[in-house]
Amino acid sequence: MQSPRRQHWGKTLESICLPVGALLFSLVLFGIFCAAVGSNPFEVYASIHKAAFGNWRSFQNTLIRAAPLMLTALCTALPARLGLVIIGNEGALVMGGIGAIIVGLGLGGNAPPLVVQIGMALAGLLFGGLWIGAVGALRHYRGVNETISSLLMNYIAIAFLNHLVNGPMKDPSSLNKPSSFPIPAVDMLGVLPGTRIHYGLIYGIVACVIAYVLIQRTTFGFAARTAGGNIRAARIAGLPVGKLTMAICFLAGSCAGLAGMVEVAAVHGRANESLNAGYGYSGILVAFIARYNPLAATVVAVLLGGILASGGILQRVHNLPDATVLVFQGLVFLVVMYSESLYGRLAIFKERHEVKPTRQPAAVV
Amino acid sequence: MAAETVGWWGVPLAIAAGTMRGGTPFLFVSLGECLTEKSGKINLGLEGTLLTGAMSAYAISYLTGSPWLGVLMAGVSGMALGFIHAWLTQQPKVNDVAVGIAMIIFGSGIAFFLGKPFIQPSAPQLPTFDLGGWSSISSLQEALRISPLFLLGVALAPAMTWFFKSTRWGLFIRAVGDSPDAALAMGVSIKKVRMLSIIAGSFLAGIGGASLSLYYPGIWSERISTGQGLMAVALVIFARWQPMQCLYASLLFGGAQAFGPALQSVGITQGYYLFNAAPYILTLGIMILTCSPTRTISGAPGALGSGS
């Protein structure tokens, strides 16, 4: 038998190496794709690196994009521990942004900036939380598939946002891009001293750390993981599965809602279609690459934030359409999905005397 | 506007027209999803397939001048995406819902990337059957301009019912989806049947995309699909995995989609954007009504989503 310690290291190594390997392999695939459409892949890599991590200025850009990604990733990562696949990140983000703008416009100018900011954050948390909490409730009480319902609710949230910024909330001076009235500049979320990075990054990191502690170190998290592992066993053990589902979904949604608040209060200053710019969908990808680990999600969010930040330069320098970033994300996602099937099957991460895994039969075409 | 000549009749007329126009993509995608799910796998990525199909149809129609070649190409590009989905989801420990999400991102990425040059030019559209020639009302003529793709879809639904019920291959698919063990005992290759079902389903979804870009709305843009591919997945549940029910449900959804624009055409613009959410709210409402936490839905393939 192998020592438990050794096995532990093998597993840790595996869970680091496989996602990293998947990322590298998808970079290769992406290079082939670039070559196929007539761009030099090495120049594209160099541009991405320069735009994402090349200097402090561009790295700040990356971090600004990473902040909402950390928060939206939690919207998928937390329910995943319960065995739920929730992809309503975009909708929860939009609802959080709507909540924040309502409070921001209502209180703005009538209260101290700190109060306004706390109010906006709470509203973002609440709106996003209730939005995904409803998905959890539908799942528990009606057995509605949470993946489909959360995705449908994305479209409903976006329609609601469009209704608000084209109707009741519309600022008549915003012609090309219908927007709400802006919140007063003093109430905007500030930046970290000496940088252009707003406090949203701190929100993201703190939320991820709290989520990690909550899932890994508390009885609540233990109960959630138990229910995620075997729901029948959890019921027999007397765990309140319904309450757990809704609590986790509420927390998940509130994280994405906070991302919406950050986008409104720190980046745009108003609500408009820039809110549904895809941070929700990218957050799903972050959660999957990080294998639902909130701490890993912070690192992955920075990587992906860098890739999102490089979209502009790919367009300007290499004349690649803005969808290039989407293609790359899709490739990463597919390769990461494939890497799931390799866990426990690669000999290097195993003990020597263990039976070598049988080769997988090739897919029948 | 044309609606002035028919007054308030414009609303039901526009909804009826929208039912046939907007229902066509739903019809193809839901039949494709029905075929896929009958074999026991879920393909959530049909939204990406729909977009890729729409883009390829438009591009090929523009480049060759033949819209029918575009329709064929839409199906073929759908098959390519279907192959990726089928291969990945049959790897051990790979979750088909998660792969579906990946395929949505990948498929839409490919469609937007390759479709960028085709947003401006206008491609030849599919010919239509103009059944409204007898009428002098232009909006009635418009409503009775029926696409051959719609008729094809309507014919496909009973054909698929027959296929499942009365053919050898239909039996294989049902066996694989309901009870993989029984299928194995029959000597059927589960992998092969699922691979073919997913690829054929994606072919249909690609054609659904072609009906978006070559019939209605008849343009190619990045916003052409508004979640039809996803709603179709919910629609199949509502239709209890029966092709004929998919047909009725698709018409219902097409009608729901036309609701906002129909009201707008008679001058009701209040809440236009909210009416745009009607199909999603309808889908959600239907799911809430038809699902149950205690029993599985009748008609669901036994092995669906079980990963076996």
Side-chain angles (χ1 to χ4, degrees):
Chain A
M1 286 302 289
Q2 60 206 40
S3 70
R5 194 180 163 77
R6 184 77 190 275
Q7 189 192 23
H8 185 72
W9 271 106
K11 277 218 155 136
T12 312
L13 203 62
E14 186 179 42
S15 61
I16 294 173
C17 287
L18 275 177
V20 171
L23 275 175
L24 290 177
F25 185 65
S26 38
L27 261 179
V28 172
L29 283 182
F30 179 65
I32 296 173
F33 178 81
C34 287
V37 297
S39 297
N40 183 336
F42 298 102
E43 283 172 13
V44 172
Y45 293 152
S47 292
I48 292 180
H49 177 259
K50 194 170 150 233
F53 313 106
N55 53 44
W56 174 232
R57 195 187 146 72
S58 51
F59 191 55
Q60 291 187 56
N61 256 333
T62 298
L63 290 179
I64 289 172
R65 285 181 166 78
L69 288 179
M70 291 175 193
L71 290 166
T72 52
L74 291 176
C75 188
T76 300
L78 287 176
R81 304 312 281 268
L82 259 179
L84 301 179
V85 184
I86 286 192
I87 50 181
N89 320 31
E90 193 90 5
L93 183 147
V94 166
M95 290 312 287
I98 291 175
I101 197 75
I102 291 174
V103 172
L105 293 179
L107 286 182
N110 304 326
L114 189 66
V115 175
V116 180
Q117 285 164 5
I118 291 174
M120 284 196 287
L122 287 178
L125 289 167
L126 187 69
F127 272 55
L130 290 177
W131 197 246
I132 299 299
V135 171
L138 287 180
R139 165 79 214 194
H140 182 69
Y141 290 111
R142 296 297 312 166
V144 175
N145 179 304
E146 76 284 356
T147 311
I148 298 174
S149 66
S150 61
L151 205 40
L152 288 171
M153 285 174 69
N154 284 347
Y155 291 98
I156 298 174
I158 292 168
F160 186 51
L161 174 71
N162 285 336
H163 171 70
L164 288 180
V165 299
N166 282 288
M169 278 190 165
K170 184 170 181 176
D171 178 357
S173 66
S174 61
L175 293 174
N176 292 332
K177 193 184 208 176
S179 303
S180 70
F181 289 98
I183 55 173
V186 294
D187 295 327
M188 295 274 289
L189 216 52
V191 293
L192 298 173
T195 68
R196 293 187 299 115
I197 305 164
H198 55 68
Y199 278 102
L201 183 66
I202 305 293
Y203 288 13
I205 292 172
V206 169
C208 284
V209 171
I210 293 176
Y212 179 80
V213 173
L214 185 74
I215 292 291
Q216 299 294 346
R217 296 278 184 269
T218 64
T219 41
F220 174 78
F222 181 69
R225 281 182 289 142
T226 310
N230 185 336
I231 197 155
R232 283 188 59 183
R235 284 219 168 91
I236 291 166
L239 289 175
V241 174
K243 276 186 193 150
L244 276 173
T245 306
M246 273 177 286
I248 288 272
C249 286
F250 182 86
L251 290 175
S254 56
C255 290
L258 191 61
M261 176 269 177
V262 166
E263 285 299 291
V264 163
V267 182
H268 306 298
R270 43 175 83 208
N272 56 30
E273 64 175 11
S274 302
L275 265 181
N276 51 310
Y279 282 123
Y281 292 110
S282 302
I284 303 171
L285 178 56
V286 172
F288 273 104
I289 300 178
R291 305 205 80 218
Y292 319 129
N293 180 330
L295 290 185
T298 56
V299 180
V300 179
V302 173
L303 280 178
L304 207 67
I307 289 165
L308 293 184
S310 65
I313 207 165
L314 290 181
Q315 209 167 352
R316 282 193 307 276
V317 178
H318 299 277
N319 209 13
L320 291 166
D322 44 0
T324 314
V325 172
L326 203 57
V327 173
F328 184 53
Q329 289 187 54
L331 279 174
V332 173
F333 210 149
L334 288 175
V335 176
V336 165
M337 282 293 111
Y338 176 72
S339 76
E340 290 280 307
S341 72
L342 296 179
Y343 283 89
R345 277 166 64 197
L346 293 183
I348 12 168
F349 301 117
K350 290 197 165 189
E351 287 294 302
R352 257 163 302 155
H353 52 260
E354 255 187 292
V355 190
K356 271 185 96 175
T358 45
R359 243 184 75 78
Q360 53 156 134
V364 186
V365 184
Chain B
M1 287 299 287
E4 282 161 16
T5 55
V6 285
W8 279 92
W9 282 105
V11 177
L13 195 62
I15 291 178
T19 301
M20 288 185 280
R21 285 176 189 157
T24 312
F26 281 121
L27 185 52
F28 277 96
V29 181
S30 64
L31 287 177
E33 183 70 27
C34 184
L35 181 60
T36 302
E37 291 194 9
K38 277 276 190 190
S39 77
K41 284 278 173 197
I42 299 172
N43 188 352
L44 209 60
L46 288 186
E47 175 76 15
T49 314
L50 191 77
L51 279 164
T52 309
M55 185 278 297
S56 353
Y58 200 79
I60 294 298
S61 170
Y62 172 71
L63 292 174
T64 65
S66 159
W68 284 108
L69 210 59
V71 172
L72 184 70
M73 197 54 209
V76 171
S77 63
M79 285 166 78
L81 289 180
F83 171 76
I84 300 176
H85 185 86
W87 183 75
L88 266 179
T89 52
Q90 303 215 39
Q91 303 301 319
K93 287 195 249 176
V94 174
N95 177 335
D96 34 357
V97 171
V99 174
I101 303 165
M103 289 302 293
I104 296 176
I105 296 182
F106 181 69
S108 44
I110 288 285
F112 298 161
F113 186 100
L114 299 176
K116 190 86 178 173
F118 301 102
I119 291 179
Q120 283 296 335
S122 74
Q125 297 287 304
L126 281 173
T128 50
F129 298 119
D130 295 341
L131 303 181
W134 49 270
S135 165
S136 57
I137 303 168
S138 63
S139 56
L140 194 60
Q141 284 177 356
E142 185 69 23
L144 287 174
R145 196 164 289 158
I146 289 167
S147 166
L149 277 184
F150 174 69
L151 299 178
L152 200 67
V154 170
L156 196 60
M160 199 182 271
T161 309
W162 171 80
F163 171 77
F164 284 136
K165 257 197 188 133
S166 316
T167 66
R168 210 174 142 70
W169 270 94
L171 177 70
F172 288 168
I173 293 176
R174 283 189 295 137
V176 167
D178 266 331
S179 160
D181 292 338
L184 214 55
M186 282 161 71
V188 178
S189 162
I190 295 175
K191 281 201 162 178
K192 201 164 161 185
V193 167
R194 285 190 173 156
M195 174 69 82
L196 290 175
S197 303
I198 294 173
I199 291 179
S202 303
F203 178 82
L204 292 179
I207 291 187
S211 94
L212 280 177
S213 62
L214 294 180
Y215 170 47
Y216 183 80
I219 46 157
W220 160 246
S221 82
E222 299 191 352
R223 298 185 169 198
I224 193 165
S225 166
T226 46
Q228 282 100 330
L230 283 160
M231 281 188 274
V233 179
L235 196 152
V236 173
I237 301 173
F238 172 48
R240 312 264 155 150
W241 295 270
Q242 288 168 20
M244 282 312 284
Q245 305 272 8
C246 286
L247 170 61
Y248 307 139
S250 302
L251 295 179
L252 178 70
F253 277 62
Q257 225 178 13
F259 199 59
L263 285 180
Q264 198 189 29
S265 74
V266 292
I268 300 177
T269 50
Q270 197 72 35
Y272 172 73
Y273 292 92
L274 283 184
F275 283 120
N276 277 349
Y280 315 110
I281 293 171
L282 178 73
T283 314
L284 201 57
I286 283 172
M287 285 183 68
I288 294 170
L289 289 178
T290 51
C291 292
S292 158
T294 48
R295 60 186 159 77
T296 51
I297 306 166
S298 62
L304 189 63
S306 65
S308 63

